[in-house]
Every structure is written in structure tokens, then in C-alpha cells.
């Protein structure tokens, strides 16, 4: 058990966070998608600390975060498509899985022994400043215990990891709310390993062809981390609900009412206007709040599959999967 500091998002807080990372400590920090649990990616011992704090299966590779495309190109080999995607969507909620470069300094452990590496340049100004101050790749999975709902503010992080990590840099709520889209560019056609903050349609429009692959999926060895049961609240999750059953909490979307909605133990609407961006930003914190109502089941209204809806539905299906 260690004391977990809550660091302010000022110069002092940033300097302290960078210092902790540089000496091999664990610091959770905000990104535009969700909070990440950071460690120096080049330091295998520090990276091991992430797996321990999260109780994460060690075959699951981590994303390394950088402050620029130039810094990313030291770590990975970018083909034409990868470079175009990086130029279009970085900084932002896109992770590229590319072959390891000869100059790569990301530890084997962070890559889970693969000959590819997951790289992302986040857009959040605090994340950017922290990466700049740290001056090396920072490995960071979402800052929750393995299999739990991803955190979108510092309180969520502390709820899961207080006493297990050195600090959390408090930057308020994450605005995208779902994790980055992961695209593998490993020669041949690019593959979608995980839907996320950059909609598939935006990527396909840029590269002028459909992305291969649906949801990375556990049957897909390219994405070893895509466990079926993931993002799981304590309560059961029931999808595509048209009615509320006794004792259930309700996660709504849009204005169409569910039958017996007023019976719900607790009720939250992802977006009354049916705005998928707003829904993504609320998703994880609303799941947590409905879970805290003590309901045995969270009934979820249907969410359309277009745009960010693909990532939202992917997370909801994982939350609902058999555990
Ligand atoms: O938005 C995000 O991506 C957040 C923030 C903190 O950046 N991070 C995040 O990390 O969601 P995590 O560890 O929860 O998810 C990383 C995913 C896993 O499914 C893992 O299998 C995949 O990325 N991944 C990482 N490196 C990979 C590689 N070399 N090959 C295939 N998949 C990889
Ligand atoms: Mg995660």
C-alpha cells in the first residue's frame, strides 16, 4: 500500500508527475479519451508495476504514448497508410499498431513480446505537456482495474487504484469518453482492431477503402487484449431494452421512452438529443453511477451503430458479456 497523491494540473503538479514517471513510478493522467495509468515504457520494471496495479493479464500489450509523430517514428515503422492516418488524426483518439523499429526503446514487456508496437499521440493538453516533460514513451492502459469500467475522471481512478499507484494528475473529466480507435498497419490492408474515438467512417474516407476487421475480437490474435468480458460494472447489463423490469436501473438514449421507465431504480440519459458524441462522453461515468444505485441489472436502450455508436455498442456488449 502506498499513498496516492492527487496532483493539480499546474506547473508544480506536472513537474512532480514527470519526476515520478522518470524514476519508474506510476502516474495516472488525463487523456481526451479516458484516464491512462502511465509508466516509463522503456523501463520494464515500471511497466510491470502497471500490470500489478491493474491485475492485468500480462499477455495484453500496452499502448505507448508520445508527444509527436517524429517521436513515434523512432519507435515504429510507418508505411504510407500509417503516416497518412497519423498526420490526419494525431494528436487525437487514434492508436496505430505498426512494426517495431530497430531504434525502438519500448520494453518487450510493454509490447507483451510482440514484434509490433501500439503508438498514440494524445490531444489532451495536460497529457501532451506531461509527455513533453517526460521526454520518453509512456505506456498507459486505461487507469482502472482489469475488466472494470474505464475512468473518465480522477475520482474514478482513485476509486479503483487508490493506494496502488503513486499519483493521479487531476485534469477534470475526459471529453471523448471512449478509448482510442486502434488500427493495425502491418503491411497489406489496414485492420480495425478496436472501434473508438475516431469513427470508422472518418478513417475509411481518408484511406479510400473499407477497413478490414470488425471488432478485433478474441478470435483475432492481432488484438490479444480484446477480452469479451470487459468494462464490466458490478450489475448485470441488459442490452436493447424496450421496457424496464422491476428492480432495474435504466440507461437511456434519445427521447423515445422505454415501457415502465418511471419504475427504474435510477435513470440516466446518455444524450436526450440523440447525440453520439455526448453519449460517448457520458458512457462510463453513467455506468458507474447506475451501478452505485445498487440495481441488480442495468437495462440499456438501443444505441444506433453509426459513427461513435460502433465504439459505444462495442463497450456495451463487453459490459454485458458473460463473466
Ligand atoms: O484511449 C486509449 O486508447 C486509452 C488511453 C489511456 O490512451 N488506452 C487504452 O489502453 O485504452 P488499453 O490498454 O486499455 O487498451 C489497449 C489495447 C489492448 O486491447 C491491446 O491489446 C491493444 O491495445 N494493443 C496494444 N498494443 C498492441 C499491439 N502491438 N498489437 C495488438 N494490439 C495491441
Ligand atoms: Mg482498458
Amino acid at each position: 500500500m502506498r499513498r496516492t497523491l492527487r496532483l493539480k494540473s499546474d506547473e508544480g503538479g506536472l513537474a512532480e508527475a514527470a519526476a515520478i514517471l522518470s524514476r519508474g513510478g506510476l502516474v495516472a493522467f488525463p487523456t481526451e479519451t479516458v484516464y491512462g495509468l502511465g509508466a516509463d515504457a522503456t523501463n520494464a520494471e515500471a511497466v510491470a508495476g502497471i500490470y500489478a496495479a491493474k491485475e492485468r493479464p500480462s499477455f495484453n500489450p500496452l499502448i505507448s504514448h508520445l508527444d509527436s509523430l517524429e517521436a513515434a517514428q523512432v519507435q515504429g515503422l510507418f508505411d504510407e497508410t500509417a503516416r497518412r492516418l497519423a498526420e490526419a488524426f494525431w494528436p487525437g483518439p487514434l492508436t496505430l499498431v505498426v512494426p517495431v523499429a530497430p531504434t525502438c526503446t519500448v520494453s518487450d514487456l510493454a509490447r507483451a513480446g510482440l514484434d509490433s508496437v501500439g503508438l498514440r499521440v494524445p490531444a489532451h493538453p495536460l497529457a501532451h505537456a506531461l509527455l513533453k516533460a517526460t521526454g520518453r514513451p509512456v505506456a498507459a492502459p486505461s487507469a482502472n482495474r482489469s475488466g472494470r469500467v474505464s475512468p473518465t475522471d480522477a475520482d474514478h481512478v482513485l476509486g479503483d487504484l487508490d493506494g496502488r499507484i503513486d499519483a493521479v494528475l487531476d485534469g477534470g473529466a475526459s471529453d471523448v469518453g471512449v478509448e482510442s480507435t486502434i488500427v493495425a498497419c502491418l503491411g497489406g490492408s489496414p485492420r480495425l482492431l478496436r472501434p473508438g474515438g475516431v469513427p470508422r467512417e472518418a478513417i475509411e474516407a481518408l484511406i479510400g477503402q473499407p477497413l478490414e476487421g470488425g471488432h478485433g475480437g478474441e478470435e483475432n490474435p492481432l488484438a490479444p487484449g480484446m477480452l469479451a468480458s470487459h468494462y464490466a460494472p458490478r450489475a448485470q447489463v441488459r442490452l436493447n431494452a424496450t421496457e424496464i423490469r422491476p428492480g432495474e436501473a435504466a440507461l437511456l438514449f434519445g427521447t423515445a421512452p422505454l415501457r415502465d421507465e418511471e419504475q427504474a431504480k435510477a435513470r440516466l440519459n446518455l444524450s436526450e438529443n440523440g447525440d453520439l458524441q455526448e453519449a460517448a462522453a457520458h458512457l462510463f461515468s453513467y455506468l458507474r453511477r447506475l451501478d452505485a444505485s445498487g440495481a441488480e441489472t442495468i437495462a440499456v436502450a438501443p444505441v444506433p451503430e453509426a459513427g461513435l455508436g460502433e465504439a459505444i455498442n462495442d463497450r456495451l456488449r463487453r459490459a454485458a458479456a458473460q463473466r
Side-chain angles (χ1 to χ4, degrees), residues 54 56 142 144 150 179 230-231:
K54 281 184 65 95
R56 171 175 228 181
S142 49
N144 51 278
S150 293
E179 294 85 346
H230 211 107
Y231 309 100

Side-chain angles (χ1 to χ4, degrees), residues 232-238 249 287 290-292 294-298 319-320 323:
R234 271 173 247 277
Q236 300 293 313
V237 174
R238 188 166 70 80
L287 278 173
L290 293 176
D291 210 15
E296 241 160 68
T297 301
I298 300 170
R323 311 172 200 151

Side-chain angles (χ1 to χ4, degrees), residues 68-162:
S68 67
L69 171 56
E70 290 64 46
Q73 282 172 316
V74 173
Q75 306 300 332
L77 298 173
F78 285 62
D79 64 13
E80 170 74 13
T81 308
R83 202 180 39 74
R84 286 181 58 210
L85 288 171
E87 281 170 356
F89 297 110
W90 280 355
L94 175 72
T95 294
L96 293 169
V97 171
V98 296
V100 163
T103 46
C104 182
T105 56
V106 172
S107 62
D108 269 353
L109 183 60
R111 293 186 284 104
L114 300 175
D115 52 13
S116 59
V117 61
L119 301 171
R120 174 157 110 84
V121 176
H124 195 293
L126 270 177
H128 184 81
L130 179 63
L131 292 166
K132 213 164 168 203
T134 309
R136 59 189 94 175
V138 171
S142 49
N144 51 278
R145 291 225 208 165
S146 200
R148 301 280 285 277
V149 178
S150 293
T152 51
D153 68 31
D155 289 332
H156 297 161
V157 173
L158 290 171
D160 262 20
L161 298 174
D162 196 11

